[in-house]
Amino acid sequence: MSKNVTVRDHIVDKKIVDVAKLAGVSAATVSRVLNESSLVSEKTKIKVLKAIEEMDYHPNAAAKHLRSQRTMTLGIIVPDINVSYFSEIIKGIENKAYAHKYKVLICDSDNQIEKEMEYLDLLPDRTVDGMILVTPRVSDDTIQEYVKKGYVIGVVGRAVVHEDILSCKTDNVKFSNEAVRHLVEQGHQQIAYIGGYSDSLENYERMEGYMKALKEGKIPFLPSLIDNGDFEETGGYQAFCRLLERNQSFTAVYAANDEMALGVYRACRERGIRIPEDMAVVGVDNNRITEYLLPALSTVEQPKYEMGSQLTEKLIAQMSGNEQNMQKKHVIESTLIIRESSSYKRD
Amino acid sequence: MSKNVTVRDHIVDKKIVDVAKLAGVSAATVSRVLNESSLVSEKTKIKVLKAIEEMDYHPNAAAKHLRSQRTMTLGIIVPDINVSYFSEIIKGIENKAYAHKYKVLICDSDNQIEKEMEYLDLLPDRTVDGMILVTPRVSDDTIQEYVKKGYVIGVVGRAVVHEDILSCKTDNVKFSNEAVRHLVEQGHQQIAYIGGYSDSLENYERMEGYMKALKEGKIPFLPSLIDNGDFEETGGYQAFCRLLERNQSFTAVYAANDEMALGVYRACRERGIRIPEDMAVVGVDNNRITEYLLPALSTVEQPKYEMGSQLTEKLIAQMSGNEQNMQKKHVIESTLIIRESSSYKRD
DNA sequence: ATGAAAGCGCTAACAC
DNA sequence: GTGTTAGCGCTTTCAT
């Protein structure tokens, strides 16, 4: 008693029976009013509503959750909420969830797979009804394993090889092809590629688009023009420096995201390499920062908000049992935005 | 039956009694092991742990919450998760919460006070044990009202006039004074101020710091050099344009946040006004973007992560009943960062 | 050290 | 249309 005193102890919550007594009905009737069941007469409904109002009654969520076996809560696992790519996706998820009366639990993993695995336990815990992964770290097999057990999982910004797992992403091959083709059209013959995590499906696909564009431009593929970062500024910086050190000249870089392109900018500034005159740069994501850079960064718009929103719509539909012939692997359009960093034509 | 079929129906969750049976003990004993009660013999403890492992048992969160009257969940209300000022604070909150085994529910209000009031109901709902407000919209009186009822609320980036309400912020008067004094020292005699919401306490304080610096520099205060935005880029742009139209010349602007300073940049670029030669600019927040601007923006660092983290620490302490003479209104240091946008000395 | 039993606040099946 | 009752899965006296 004396040890577990918390602030909460001051509050005496009203219960449904208290409302029932005040309204002169049974708890069941109050519950019916609360849940908008039609089998209540207008007269008692008004009585009950008045009592609820009067007492400032709020139904206890935990009791509801226990009884109904659902929490109306979605979890989101992200590597870093502070990266705008992720926060825009989260915003899309949150807004759609709100529209369907779902709450959103945010799980920032700080880029640690251990934390992500831990957060995944919120599913068997029944803390959340479903989980959205916006991380490349949790493996396809792990996801598949949870889904096979019956848990609801959706994925944003990537796909999962197994069938029947909800995902929403863009077409990596297509937009990478477009981005690199644009560089080729600007007259570049040696184009470097800075990828993200080297072993991810997304990376293979972006590489594929890159190679396809080279082929179309009849440009030989040089493995020495390929390096990988980790999707962060520093990783991009380091990868670009390694590329320079190889003494394989190049006049353009395609970076797998804007953060890494930022690293390229820094390296160029340090070495007096002019963008776009000496080095053209194209990124991916269309982070807000890209517009403010000098020169403004050419990039591939990723409809982040839309990806989050659309996946959430489908996830909620699935949880409601409306999954008749629903497309599980959703691919959304992305478009190349040409700005100053690649607008210098070579001959 | 046929209407309410959801994916969840496939899953048959294990209950504590199932584990009890397998281990050959009672449910109470399993519960004791789970809650690390000391009154269990080592031998049975091992038996139980083995059974839990074997069944892959996960305690049901809702049942726990109902029984224990706490959800180990914190809510955060923010106007826009996609603004880095907020997402950094959220990150600080999340990390601290995680360290104390709390979960975090994110409530993005899209800048709407109605949504914020709605989210506040998660407190009487008992969906969350406490709520953190990172928004200027919910009034001091409303906050006070909830706290008086016994609900746990903390505030970040502002303070509440009433006593005994947890808050963590920086010293607006002090850093504004420092920022403007810096401009005075650079030789500026006409310095404009673009505030945030004109009627907020924070705005008064920043204005106070501004006026104090003018006084110290023996510079007359001109009301026509004051305007207000809404803390967003567009608001800053518009306020700056209005200032220009007044035909009251000025050579420097102090903007109440970096977003609005960004609007100043845009307006200057459109009109061929050079920063810092024709116009010095200082912002507030030290958003990441400020480093990448050309010229790099001088700004006041707000320890956003720290503010979120420290407030959360106190909030959790309070919920645990450890509030013996705890300082409720916490003020944290902020420092002026001088970059290129204000580094041009006038004579 | 362990078990039996009550109860957290709600909803839904069944009875009237 | 409304009330009675059982039970969701857990923790915590109380008894042994």
Side-chain angles (χ1 to χ4, degrees):
Chain A
M1 175 66 195
S2 66
K3 277 191 76 172
N4 287 315
V5 170
T6 70
V7 176
R8 292 274 307 280
D9 295 346
H10 304 307
I11 322 174
V12 181
D13 284 322
K14 281 92 185 171
K15 312 176 199 180
I16 201 167
V17 287
D18 301 327
V19 178
K21 261 178 212 147
L22 183 62
V25 297
S26 75
T29 300
V30 177
S31 175
R32 287 187 188 105
V33 172
L34 249 18
N35 296 287
E36 287 159 7
S37 159
S38 51
L39 4 133
V40 187
S41 79
E42 198 60 27
K43 221 172 112 189
T44 51
K45 193 171 167 179
I46 291 169
K47 265 198 309 192
V48 170
L49 254 15
K50 213 183 113 200
I52 288 173
E53 173 86 51
E54 199 167 313
M55 305 185 71
D56 191 27
Y57 166 73
H58 290 264
N60 181 294
K64 241 175 135 144
H65 296 165
L66 176 57
R67 184 61 236 231
S68 64
Q69 302 281 53
R70 35 172 25 206
T71 60
M72 296 301 281
T73 304
L74 255 31
I76 310 181
I77 300 181
V78 278
D80 187 352
I81 194 191
N82 203 23
V83 168
S84 76
Y85 172 77
F86 295 117
S87 66
E88 288 202 36
I89 289 174
I90 294 171
K91 180 114 182 165
I93 294 172
E94 215 270 357
N95 273 12
K96 181 62 78 179
Y98 176 83
H100 289 275
K101 299 193 186 305
Y102 273 81
K103 277 142 269 144
V104 168
L105 210 62
I106 197 83
C107 311
D108 185 319
S109 74
D110 266 323
N111 284 300
Q112 294 164 244
I113 176 73
E114 300 76 22
K115 257 178 124 174
E116 298 186 355
M117 294 305 292
E118 203 177 322
Y119 275 129
L120 227 34
D121 269 351
L122 295 175
L123 244 10
D125 277 351
R126 310 266 95 159
T127 298
V128 298
D129 294 342
M131 189 68 95
I132 296 175
L133 304 184
V134 199
T135 163
R137 286 186 184 70
V138 178
S139 74
D140 287 15
D141 285 345
T142 302
I143 296 171
Q144 159 76 349
E145 196 184 299
Y146 275 84
V147 171
K148 232 164 53 189
K149 282 186 191 158
Y151 300 118
V152 176
I153 295 185
V155 173
V156 180
R158 66 184 268 209
V160 171
V161 292
H162 308 83
E163 295 280 312
D164 279 341
I165 290 173
L166 269 184
S167 62
C168 186
K169 50 165 278 196
T170 48
D171 187 334
N172 289 290
V173 179
K174 190 174 161 195
F175 73 66
S176 296
N177 177 253
E178 200 179 336
V180 178
R181 193 193 314 134
H182 158 65
L183 290 169
V184 171
E185 286 167 0
Q186 293 297 98
H188 296 281
Q189 290 286 319
Q190 290 101 13
I191 302 168
Y193 170 62
I194 298 178
Y197 304 112
S198 57
D199 56 347
S200 71
L201 177 61
E202 273 54 49
N203 202 49
Y204 279 119
E205 291 177 347
R206 291 183 189 186
M207 177 89 102
E208 189 183 327
Y210 164 84
M211 305 226 290
K212 207 173 135 207
L214 293 188
K215 207 168 181 178
E216 288 162 0
K218 303 202 196 320
I219 295 172
F221 167 69
L222 298 176
S224 57
L225 286 183
I226 305 296
D227 209 310
N228 286 292
D230 53 1
F231 285 125
E232 292 182 33
E233 197 267 5
T234 308
Y237 174 86
Q238 292 164 343
F240 185 73
C241 292
R242 284 193 298 269
L243 285 165
L244 288 176
E245 284 159 13
R246 284 191 201 140
N247 290 319
Q248 168 62 59
S249 75
F250 57 99
T251 60
V253 205
Y254 171 50
N257 76 348
D258 293 338
E259 286 289 331
M260 296 195 296
L262 238 39
V264 172
Y265 267 54
R266 177 156 59 94
C268 285
R269 203 171 308 152
E270 284 175 10
R271 290 154 201 253
I273 300 172
R274 294 167 303 165
I275 301 173
E277 296 85 347
D278 306 328
M279 184 68 62
V281 186
V282 175
V284 175
D285 279 357
N286 193 24
N287 285 351
R288 184 167 170 229
I289 202 170
T290 58
E291 292 183 60
Y292 292 93
L293 294 173
L294 266 182
L297 177 64
S298 296
T299 185
V300 179
E301 154 74 0
Q302 299 279 70
K304 302 165 279 288
Y305 182 96
E306 271 305 312
M307 289 197 288
S309 176
Q310 293 192 19
L311 179 95
T312 306
E313 180 78 50
K314 294 207 170 200
L315 198 81
I316 291 175
Q318 178 177 318
M319 293 193 300
S320 314
N322 311 328
E323 46 173 334
Q324 49 269 32
N325 55 39
M326 180 168 71
Q327 181 62 39
K328 299 292 181 118
K329 296 183 196 297
H330 190 51
V331 176
I332 196 167
E333 277 306 310
S334 55
T335 49
L336 177 65
I337 298 173
I338 299 170
R339 298 205 183 94
E340 303 157 13
S341 68
S342 63
S343 298
Y344 180 82
K345 199 123 183 174
R346 301 184 77 84
D347 27 42
Chain B
M1 176 65 194
S2 66
K3 275 193 79 174
N4 288 315
V5 169
T6 70
V7 177
R8 292 273 310 280
D9 294 346
H10 304 308
I11 319 175
V12 181
D13 284 324
K14 281 93 186 170
K15 312 176 200 180
I16 202 167
V17 286
D18 300 327
V19 178
K21 262 178 212 148
L22 183 62
V25 297
S26 76
T29 300
V30 177
S31 175
R32 288 189 186 103
V33 172
L34 249 18
N35 296 288
E36 286 156 8
S37 160
S38 51
L39 2 131
V40 187
S41 79
E42 198 59 29
K43 223 172 112 189
T44 50
K45 193 171 168 180
I46 292 170
K47 265 198 309 191
V48 170
L49 254 15
K50 214 183 112 198
I52 288 174
E53 173 86 52
E54 199 168 313
M55 304 184 73
D56 191 28
Y57 166 73
H58 290 262
N60 181 294
K64 242 176 133 141
H65 296 165
L66 175 56
R67 185 58 235 234
S68 64
Q69 302 281 53
R70 35 174 22 207
T71 60
M72 297 301 283
T73 304
L74 254 32
I76 311 181
I77 301 181
V78 277
D80 187 352
I81 194 191
N82 203 24
V83 168
S84 77
Y85 172 76
F86 295 117
S87 66
E88 287 201 37
I89 290 174
I90 294 171
K91 180 114 182 166
I93 295 171
E94 214 270 355
N95 273 13
K96 181 62 76 180
Y98 176 83
H100 289 276
K101 299 194 187 304
Y102 273 82
K103 278 142 269 146
V104 168
L105 210 62
I106 198 85
C107 311
D108 185 319
S109 74
D110 265 323
N111 284 300
Q112 296 164 242
I113 177 72
E114 300 77 22
K115 258 178 123 173
E116 297 185 357
M117 294 305 291
E118 203 177 321
Y119 275 128
L120 227 35
D121 268 351
L122 295 175
L123 242 12
D125 277 350
R126 304 271 145 218
T127 299
V128 299
D129 294 341
M131 189 68 95
I132 297 175
L133 304 185
V134 200
T135 163
R137 287 186 184 70
V138 178
S139 75
D140 286 16
D141 285 345
T142 303
I143 295 172
Q144 159 76 349
E145 195 183 302
Y146 275 84
V147 170
K148 229 163 54 189
K149 281 186 190 159
Y151 301 117
V152 176
I153 297 186
V155 173
V156 180
R158 65 185 268 206
V160 172
V161 291
H162 308 83
E163 294 281 311
D164 278 341
I165 291 173
L166 269 183
S167 64
C168 186
K169 49 164 279 198
T170 48
D171 186 335
N172 289 291
V173 180
K174 190 174 161 195
F175 73 68
S176 295
N177 178 252
E178 199 178 338
V180 179
R181 193 192 315 135
H182 158 66
L183 289 169
V184 172
E185 285 166 1
Q186 293 296 98
H188 296 281
Q189 290 285 321
Q190 291 102 13
I191 302 169
Y193 170 63
I194 300 179
Y197 304 112
S198 56
D199 56 347
S200 71
L201 178 61
E202 273 54 48
N203 202 50
Y204 280 118
E205 291 178 347
R206 291 184 189 187
M207 177 89 101
E208 190 184 328
Y210 164 83
M211 306 225 289
K212 208 174 133 206
L214 293 188
K215 206 169 182 178
E216 288 162 1
K218 306 203 197 316
I219 296 172
F221 166 69
L222 299 176
S224 56
L225 285 182
I226 305 296
D227 209 309
N228 287 292
D230 53 359
F231 285 126
E232 291 182 33
E233 198 267 5
T234 309
Y237 175 87
Q238 292 164 344
F240 185 74
C241 292
R242 284 193 298 268
L243 285 164
L244 288 176
E245 285 160 11
R246 283 192 201 141
N247 291 319
Q248 169 61 59
S249 75
F250 57 99
T251 60
V253 205
Y254 170 51
N257 77 348
D258 293 337
E259 286 289 332
M260 295 195 297
L262 237 39
V264 173
Y265 267 54
R266 177 156 61 93
C268 285
R269 203 172 307 152
E270 284 175 10
R271 290 155 200 252
I273 300 173
R274 294 167 303 164
I275 303 174
E277 295 85 348
D278 307 328
M279 184 68 64
V281 185
V282 175
V284 174
D285 279 356
N286 193 23
N287 284 350
R288 183 166 171 230
I289 202 169
T290 58
E291 291 183 61
Y292 291 94
L293 293 173
L294 267 180
L297 177 64
S298 295
T299 186
V300 179
E301 156 72 1
Q302 300 278 70
K304 303 165 279 288
Y305 183 96
E306 272 306 312
M307 291 197 286
S309 177
Q310 293 192 19
L311 179 94
T312 307
E313 181 78 47
K314 294 206 170 201
L315 198 81
I316 291 175
Q318 177 177 318
M319 292 193 300
S320 315
N322 311 328
E323 44 173 336
Q324 50 269 33
N325 54 39
M326 180 169 70
Q327 180 61 39
K328 299 291 182 122
K329 296 185 195 297
H330 190 52
V331 176
I332 196 168
E333 277 304 311
S334 55
T335 49
L336 176 65
I337 299 172
I338 298 170
R339 298 206 184 94
E340 303 156 14
S341 67
S342 62
S343 299
Y344 179 82
K345 200 120 183 175
R346 301 184 77 84
D347 27 41

